[in-house]
Amino acid sequence: MATPTKKQQIMLDFIEKFSDENNFSPSYREIAAALDLNSVASVAQHIDNCVYAGFLIKVHISKANPYYVFLNTLTQRYSNWVISESARTGQPGLNAE
């Protein structure tokens, strides 16, 4: 698995910390403010790059809620989730080879 760039790691760390403290993911504007970015579009580009690289999973909870839930795939909590979901469904893990 690839490793995130320095900027990606800073963003991933912020998302993880924010999510742990608030029990929900930060908005693009909150990420922009925390990382001193001038544009929400630049946040979207960084998020898309992290999703494409497999560092984040971006999920819509419902159509009524426009916000995303971000799940950092580089954490032990994510690994535990994969193991427990795989055991519950009887399917191989998401990262199975």
Side-chain angles (χ1 to χ4, degrees):
M1 178 182 228
T3 57
T5 65
K6 186 176 179 181
K7 283 185 179 183
Q8 288 173 337
Q9 189 60 56
I10 291 169
M11 185 179 66
L12 291 170
D13 291 343
F14 171 74
I15 290 171
E16 185 71 20
K17 182 179 177 191
F18 186 96
S19 298
D20 286 345
E21 291 174 356
N22 299 294
N23 293 323
F24 59 90
S25 298
S27 69
Y28 282 17
R29 290 192 188 280
E30 289 167 326
I31 295 170
L35 302 180
D36 293 326
L37 298 172
N38 296 326
S39 164
V40 175
S42 61
V43 172
Q45 184 66 45
H46 285 299
I47 293 285
D48 289 344
N49 289 339
C50 284
V51 170
Y52 181 75
F55 304 139
L56 278 179
I57 296 174
K58 184 167 80 169
V59 181
H60 258 326
I61 297 301
S62 70
K63 290 185 179 184
N65 184 350
Y67 298 106
Y68 293 104
V69 172
F70 300 109
L71 185 57
N72 188 341
T73 63
L74 302 177
T75 62
Q76 185 60 41
R77 189 166 82 180
Y78 175 76
S79 297
N80 292 342
W81 177 81
V82 170
I83 291 168
S84 67
E85 287 301 308
S86 298
R88 287 179 57 205
T89 62
Q91 300 296 317
L94 298 175
N95 296 324
E97 296 180 18

